[in-house]
Amino acid sequence: MIAPVAVPAAAACVYAVLGWNRVTAWLGALSAAGLLACAIALTTAGRRDALSGLLVSDALSAFMLLVIGAVALLAMLASPAYLAAELAAGHTQPRAMRRYGALTQAFIAAMALAVLASSLGLLWVAIEATTILTAFLVGHRHTRQATEAAWKYVVICSVGIALALLGIVMAYYAATHAGVPSLDWAVLAEHAGRLDPGVMRIAVMLLVLGFGTKAGLAPMHAWLPDAHSQAPAPVSALMSGVLLSVAFYAILRVKVIADAALGAEFIRALLIIVALASLAVAALLLLGQRDYKRLLAYSSIEHMGLLALGAAIGNTLALAAVLLHILGHGLGKSVLFLSAGHLHQALGSSSIHAVRGLAARAPLLAGTFALGILALLGLPPFSLFASELGIARAGFAAGLGWAVAAALVLMLVIVAAIGHHTRRMLLGGETGKAITLPRTVAVPLVTGLAACAILGITLGPLHPLLQAAATIAGATP
């Protein structure tokens, strides 16, 4: 229970003392592997608590720890080669690399704390900690664009997290007047029927808007493209692949309380609005996109919108598909950001127009990028195909066919836009020297794609975990 937070926190301390060097470069990957091992152990341990109930693990939090561990392992395996290339190009210094090692591990520890927190208050503290830590990582290169993106990220997410804090205060007010002064998930859900409906409506709206800001949902999404495109590639993989999902995990916990206190219709309407708005924003902005890193960032807004739609549907199939989508998106988006980071280092530009004939110049890199795009677009055999199909089926079965149909139309626009941009990057005549992909980068990319494809074919031992986690997330029959 304590190790998923303690292990990366200890690794952060080691980096702070010893710095980033040949000996410590792989410590981050070792720490992520330890976190993943702890997550696997917790999936079979049932409900457990630690530190006098401050930390609680159930099927939902154990599943989220699996996602954090898997994405962190991919990102940390690719980090040594990425930082070595940055150092060789003069884009970083040993002191900045020391900060990178310490901050990335502290960031992973904060995300683990968020999903293990037993109360809204501790969850808020952990989410706020991720904002502070990642702000320095977004500005890692100290360029004008990176610094601007970091400030934009801090300002917008601070507004969002302040709204979430106000929502928590309102929820505590309602709980106090109901005679249960607590922010514990289980306590609030158990006594939800006694909470004042008027106060809870305001609290839930503020919480969805606040945590939705950190999840990249419209209308508070503006920080995401800048931050994800300027951060180091492994950090972008962590932010897009898992931080957004951790913030959405908070919304799932809020939804359980809201359904019991207000009925399912209130938060369902709220989530459908932000889901369709997010899909529409992503579709419109992807059409004219000229930067491949920002293209991947806008795609994250689309996928967060799909998660919101699945949560709004709320039945067992939909929530199981949402959780599978979280894992598949984390794996696929990590592969894409790591590929894009190596491409950016090789070309010195993130412009789509600067990339031509990638299939001829770098077959392996082009292959991982192309397969990552296919996974992102929800094509078989990747798990995002299965999860998107599950969300669509669940929506029609729940009588929300109109919302699913609107989402599918917007997704068609997104598929056309991303397909058009990436076709121009991958195909065409060879226009420069060959680009080689280091083995230490190729291994996590291939592993991530393979895992995403296997999950699209069979869930294996994950099936009962997904069912149990969907039940905890408030699934209806």
Side-chain angles (χ1 to χ4, degrees):
M1 284 292 298
I2 299 172
V5 181
V7 169
C13 294
V14 173
Y15 277 120
V17 174
L18 300 180
W20 185 284
N21 52 54
R22 189 172 297 180
V23 177
T24 62
W26 297 100
L27 177 62
L30 186 62
S31 168
L35 192 158
L36 183 58
C38 292
I40 293 171
L42 285 173
T43 59
T44 59
R47 182 180 173 85
R48 298 182 64 183
D49 63 81
L51 299 179
S52 302
L54 284 176
L55 304 182
V56 172
S57 172
D58 54 23
L60 180 56
S61 54
F63 177 82
M64 290 303 301
L65 276 179
L66 274 178
V67 179
I68 295 170
V71 174
L73 183 58
L74 297 180
M76 292 300 101
L77 283 171
S79 288
Y82 180 86
L83 285 186
E86 288 287 282
L87 184 63
H91 293 146
T92 191
Q93 299 296 328
R95 186 177 178 182
M97 294 166 70
R98 177 195 296 265
R99 283 200 305 270
Y100 175 93
L103 290 173
T104 51
Q105 292 304 302
F107 173 33
I108 293 168
M111 290 192 291
L113 177 61
V115 300
L116 288 172
S118 63
S119 73
L120 277 169
L122 186 56
L123 171 67
W124 183 89
V125 170
I127 294 290
E128 177 66 4
T130 64
T131 302
I132 297 169
L133 294 166
T134 49
F136 292 101
L137 290 168
V138 170
H140 176 78
R141 274 196 169 188
H142 295 291
T143 62
R144 179 179 177 180
Q145 293 87 348
T147 304
E148 181 182 342
W151 276 109
K152 190 174 183 179
Y153 171 55
V154 168
V155 170
I156 295 178
C157 285
S158 294
V159 171
I161 211 71
L163 293 174
L165 178 60
L166 182 56
I168 291 171
V169 171
M170 297 290 289
Y172 186 75
Y173 173 83
T176 301
H177 279 258
V180 283
S182 174
L183 289 174
D184 186 274
W185 301 114
V187 173
L188 288 174
E190 182 182 356
H191 300 281
R194 296 163 57 184
L195 303 179
D196 185 281
V199 175
M200 285 305 297
R201 284 191 185 91
I202 300 172
V204 169
M205 289 180 66
L206 290 170
L207 286 165
V208 170
L209 186 59
F211 289 126
T213 300
K214 200 62 184 284
L217 291 167
M220 302 287 281
H221 64 279
W223 65 270
L224 192 150
D226 298 274
H228 288 199
S229 62
Q230 292 300 322
V235 176
S236 296
L238 284 169
M239 292 179 71
S240 183
V242 70
L243 176 59
L244 302 183
S245 299
V246 168
F248 193 81
Y249 159 87
I251 294 177
L252 289 178
R253 292 292 194 182
V254 170
K255 180 180 179 296
V256 175
I257 301 168
D259 285 347
L262 305 171
E265 291 304 318
F266 178 77
I267 197 167
R268 170 177 288 178
L270 204 58
L271 289 173
I272 287 176
I273 291 170
V274 298
L276 295 181
S278 299
L279 287 166
V281 166
L284 291 173
L285 293 176
L286 281 168
L287 285 171
Q289 195 49 242
R290 299 178 181 179
D291 185 299
Y292 55 81
K293 294 179 75 175
R294 291 177 70 87
L295 179 139
L296 298 178
Y298 280 120
S299 170
S300 296
I301 298 174
E302 173 213 355
H303 286 279
M304 291 304 106
L306 288 174
L307 295 184
L309 180 61
I313 295 166
N315 56 32
T316 303
L317 175 58
L319 288 175
V322 163
L323 296 173
L324 178 60
H325 199 87
I326 285 174
L327 179 55
H329 176 258
L331 294 170
K333 191 56 70 66
S334 299
V335 168
L336 282 168
F337 267 115
L338 294 175
S339 299
H342 186 75
L343 184 60
H344 184 238
Q345 286 180 328
L347 300 179
S349 173
S350 60
S351 171
I352 292 174
H353 296 289
V355 186
R356 289 292 181 271
L358 188 61
R361 299 173 61 186
L364 181 56
L365 180 59
T368 59
F369 192 83
L371 290 174
I373 289 294
L374 293 179
L376 200 66
L377 296 180
L379 297 179
F382 297 103
S383 64
L384 279 81
F385 170 76
S387 57
E388 289 176 4
L389 182 61
I391 291 172
R393 286 179 55 200
F396 282 110
L400 292 173
W402 64 271
V404 174
L408 290 174
V409 170
L410 292 169
M411 288 170 64
L412 284 175
V413 177
I414 291 169
V415 168
I418 294 178
H420 172 70
H421 293 312
T422 53
R423 178 187 61 82
R424 297 170 64 184
M425 295 171 60
L426 295 169
L427 304 179
E430 188 174 348
T431 57
K433 64 179 182 179
I435 301 173
T436 58
L437 191 64
R439 184 179 299 177
T440 53
V441 178
V443 169
L445 297 186
V446 174
T447 302
L449 288 171
C452 193
I454 291 171
L455 288 172
I457 298 170
T458 176
L459 292 176
L462 278 182
H463 186 266
L465 179 64
L466 281 174
Q467 294 294 320
T471 302
I472 291 170
T476 57

